[in-house]
Amino acid sequence: MGGQAETVEPVADGGGGKVPRQRSGDEGRAGARRAAKRGRKGRRRGLKIVAWSVAGLVVVTVGTGGYLYMRYNGNIKSAPLFAGESGDAGHEVPDEFGRTPINVLVIGSDGRDNPEDCEIGGSECGAGANADVQLLLHVSADRSNATVMSIPRDLMTNLPGCVDKEHKTSSKAGRGQINSTLQYGPGCTVAAVHQLTDIPIDHFIKVDFVGVIKMSDAVGGVPVCVSDDVYDPYSHLKLAKGSHTLKGMAALQFVRTRHGFGDGGDLGRASAQHAFLGSMIRQLKSAGTLTDPGKVLSLADAATKALTVDPGLDGITKLVGLADDLNKVPPSRVTFTTMQTEADPKDENRLVAGPDAKKLFTTVKNDQSLSADPNGAATAPSSPPPAAPSSSAPAAPPADATPRKNIAVLVRNGSGAAHRATALADALKSAGFSRETSTGKDTAADRTAVRYPAGKAAEAKQVAAALGVPETAVEAGTGSSIELVIGADWTQGTSYPAGANGAPAAPADPAAALKGADAVTADNDGNCTQVSHEKTVSLPGFGSMTPVQAFARSKDVPVSAP
């Protein structure tokens, strides 16, 4: 797929030409040495800049990530971002400076689409295509922090109907296991995660078995630590207590193991994946990795061959832009967590969203940090939002204001969601505004605005206040009437969402958002992944036992890593 990296012949002056021979021997040789030294320093500096600029797309990703380099554009495969029967993947809300967060769904596929994956997965080709890993990567609008939220593959939830145009298959909406959506393409998994969380999904990155192996090799191995001896005969992970550096198959075994950690379900595996990813981030940000041109090129080749992405990331320039954004976030501000869950009442081997999961989803959607700033405080806006009245009890106008019944509003839908203009026009009339309030022609708009003609600013502010729209969204217009333009930041409901369009959201409470969730930051390298002490595995002739006992009884099985 991608071509070989070109060999750049060194030049004496760093600019593609030869150093001219000097007339004086000593002077000429000294000048040549100085010019050659400048050339070497310039090239080293250029390579270092390239290495750092692509460092971010580690992706905090699936157990892997990627470095990008211009030569590897042809390696990248793409698929549609959204495959739901209706709607879309959501829209980001700009902050007061016009910056938007980034949400990337990272999918680890267990599909057997090629001979290598078939051999690794131990199944016939064509089997699988479920999502082994589902990580929602959120990078804040100001690029100061990031959250990586695991969504367990065992989660049962309401799934959307999907259409996979590439393979000409479709699924009906209904309750199911969320990882099964990958059978209808990554765009179906995007649709399911968006429906579950209400978080906009801007991009996806899908990585397969071989990708995990190649990336761990390319980075030089990923250091991990386990609390006890562990042997999972299902994933074949076997490690002695203590620290190890995982490469190749051992890395894949670690991120896929579900019986070695926790209670044998998917939550323990998510915790192990977080430890692996945090370690990979630290490894990739180390000076020895990021400034080594050979490693950068090797990573670029491995990563781009391993990725399937949406069209918004299907080029090197686009990926490098994402890499740049990710590289701005220090490990101490990257929070790994798993959404809150509880046992499915219908099946104890499955999970459902816990009652606190919505708080976590809302915190991520509102672009609120779950990590601490350098001074130890959680990142959050400094002031609470203005009260946003409900449609059933809109805010009353000031006593000396123009009566609402005399204020007519023209409502235009620019949100991309259906029937929004009618819903908001009806809400305004129910709140006492003129019965002449009506809907106008739809027009695309990223941000909601209330626009007014000359002399009508006070009336426009009444309209905004009644719906909870901040005064910063009230602006002079060119029309002859007050207009409410509904933007992509307001796709549902009749009360404007807190935190949108520069309206400050309530300060984040990490403790509340993370209640019942496993959370750790990427700079945490002092803890070992906890091996299960429950009977989660079995060996022929011995029955059920703990992974620690399985290690002791399997002396003839080689360890995954020394």
Side-chain angles (χ1 to χ4, degrees):
M1 300 213 343
Q4 296 294 319
E6 297 175 6
T7 301
V8 180
E9 293 293 334
V11 293
D13 65 352
K18 295 182 179 180
V19 175
R21 185 171 182 173
Q22 303 296 317
R23 294 183 181 275
S24 167
D26 290 343
E27 182 182 348
R29 285 191 293 273
R33 285 195 298 271
R34 287 194 298 270
K37 185 176 180 180
R38 287 196 302 271
R40 288 193 297 271
K41 288 178 67 177
R43 287 191 297 280
R44 285 197 300 269
R45 183 167 60 251
L47 287 169
K48 186 174 181 179
I49 290 170
V50 170
W52 277 105
S53 70
V54 300
L57 195 54
V58 71
V59 165
V60 195
T61 76
V62 86
T64 65
Y67 280 94
L68 307 161
Y69 197 67
M70 300 277 264
R71 296 176 172 60
Y72 301 111
N73 198 70
N75 289 347
I76 304 170
K77 302 177 288 291
S78 69
L81 172 65
F82 187 79
E85 285 184 323
S86 61
D88 55 30
H91 303 275
E92 298 291 1
V93 178
D95 67 7
E96 59 185 320
F97 301 106
R99 303 170 301 187
T100 55
I102 305 170
N103 290 306
V104 182
L105 183 63
V106 181
I107 305 167
S109 170
D110 70 356
R112 280 75 165 174
D113 299 326
N114 57 68
E116 284 183 279
D117 282 335
C118 298
E119 182 178 354
I120 294 168
S123 299
E124 294 182 3
C125 280
N130 291 314
D132 250 7
V133 180
Q134 298 163 119
L135 297 170
L136 183 60
L137 165 64
H138 170 84
V139 184
S140 65
D142 64 3
R143 308 301 186 253
S144 69
N145 62 87
T147 298
V148 183
M149 182 179 69
S150 289
I151 300 170
R153 59 168 289 164
D154 295 340
L155 186 77
M156 301 296 292
T157 186
N158 292 325
L159 303 177
C162 291
V163 177
D164 182 356
K165 295 180 179 178
E166 180 182 357
H167 298 98
K168 295 181 172 58
T169 59
S170 62
S171 64
K172 293 184 178 180
R175 190 172 186 271
Q177 192 167 324
I178 196 165
N179 73 322
S180 67
T181 55
L182 190 57
Q183 296 175 14
Y184 303 96
C188 187
T189 305
V190 167
V193 171
H194 177 57
Q195 179 170 295
L196 169 70
T197 65
D198 197 34
I199 297 171
I201 311 295
D202 306 300
H203 305 290
F204 74 79
I205 296 175
K206 181 172 76 77
V207 183
D208 56 20
F209 291 159
V210 175
V212 178
I213 292 173
K214 289 183 177 179
M215 283 304 306
S216 62
D217 286 344
V219 77
V222 179
V224 301
C225 175
V226 291
S227 64
D228 299 273
D229 295 341
V230 57
Y231 177 44
D232 177 358
Y234 308 110
S235 71
H236 307 295
L237 177 73
K238 186 180 183 185
L239 296 173
K241 176 181 178 179
S243 299
H244 307 272
T245 298
L246 304 184
K247 293 183 178 182
M249 187 64 74
L252 180 63
Q253 291 169 351
F254 190 88
V255 298
R256 293 196 73 208
T257 291
R258 61 184 293 151
H259 298 90
F261 310 112
D263 62 0
D266 205 45
L267 299 182
R269 175 166 65 172
S271 180
Q273 289 168 351
H274 295 166
F276 183 93
L277 293 171
S279 180
M280 175 171 270
I281 292 172
R282 295 190 298 273
Q283 182 85 341
L284 290 171
K285 282 188 175 279
S286 68
T289 299
L290 301 182
T291 59
D292 186 323
K295 288 183 180 179
V296 170
L297 294 179
S298 178
L299 284 164
D301 192 31
T304 53
K305 287 179 179 176
L307 302 179
T308 300
V309 299
D310 66 279
L313 289 178
D314 66 356
I316 290 297
T317 302
K318 301 171 185 176
L319 281 166
V320 168
L322 175 59
D324 239 6
D325 287 329
L326 294 174
N327 193 44
K328 295 171 185 174
V329 184
S332 62
R333 306 297 305 284
V334 179
T335 300
F336 290 98
T337 188
T338 302
M339 64 167 282
Q340 297 91 331
T341 58
E342 56 187 24
D344 183 357
K346 299 179 180 179
D347 184 348
E348 63 180 9
N349 294 316
R350 297 292 179 263
L351 301 168
V352 294
D356 293 313
K358 187 171 179 58
K359 292 180 183 177
L360 178 58
F361 299 159
T362 300
T363 299
V364 174
K365 180 180 178 181
N366 287 346
D367 195 26
Q368 296 168 308
S369 176
L370 295 172
S371 61
D373 66 20
N375 298 317
T379 300
S382 58
S383 59
S390 68
S391 59
S392 59
D400 59 348
T402 301
R404 288 183 173 181
K405 65 180 182 179
N406 296 335
I407 302 175
V409 183
L410 180 64
V411 184
R412 299 184 187 276
N413 183 15
S415 70
H419 312 304
R420 296 292 293 140
T422 299
L424 269 297
D426 289 346
L428 285 169
K429 285 186 279 190
S430 296
F433 288 89
S434 171
R435 305 307 295 178
E436 295 182 10
T437 292
S438 60
T439 61
K441 184 178 180 181
D442 290 357
T443 179
D446 291 330
R447 305 177 70 178
T448 295
V450 179
R451 297 174 180 147
Y452 59 87
K456 296 291 183 179
E459 288 85 346
K461 289 179 181 179
Q462 281 197 61
V463 174
L467 298 172
V469 176
E471 280 197 20
T472 54
V474 179
E475 57 191 42
T478 57
S480 59
S481 60
I482 295 174
E483 294 187 5
L484 168 63
V485 179
I486 309 163
D489 54 354
W490 192 8
T491 57
Q492 59 185 0
T494 54
S495 183
Y496 190 73
N501 206 349
D509 182 354
L514 294 171
K515 181 181 179 182
D518 179 39
V520 65
T521 52
D523 64 334
N524 186 346
D525 61 353
N527 296 327
C528 292
T529 301
Q530 295 298 304
V531 174
S532 177
H533 285 257
E534 297 184 34
K535 294 182 177 181
T536 59
V537 301
S538 62
L539 292 174
F542 293 101
S544 298
M545 63 185 68
T546 69
V548 180
Q549 293 170 329
F551 183 97
R553 293 184 181 275
S554 304
K555 299 185 184 300
D556 57 332
V557 177
V559 294
S560 300

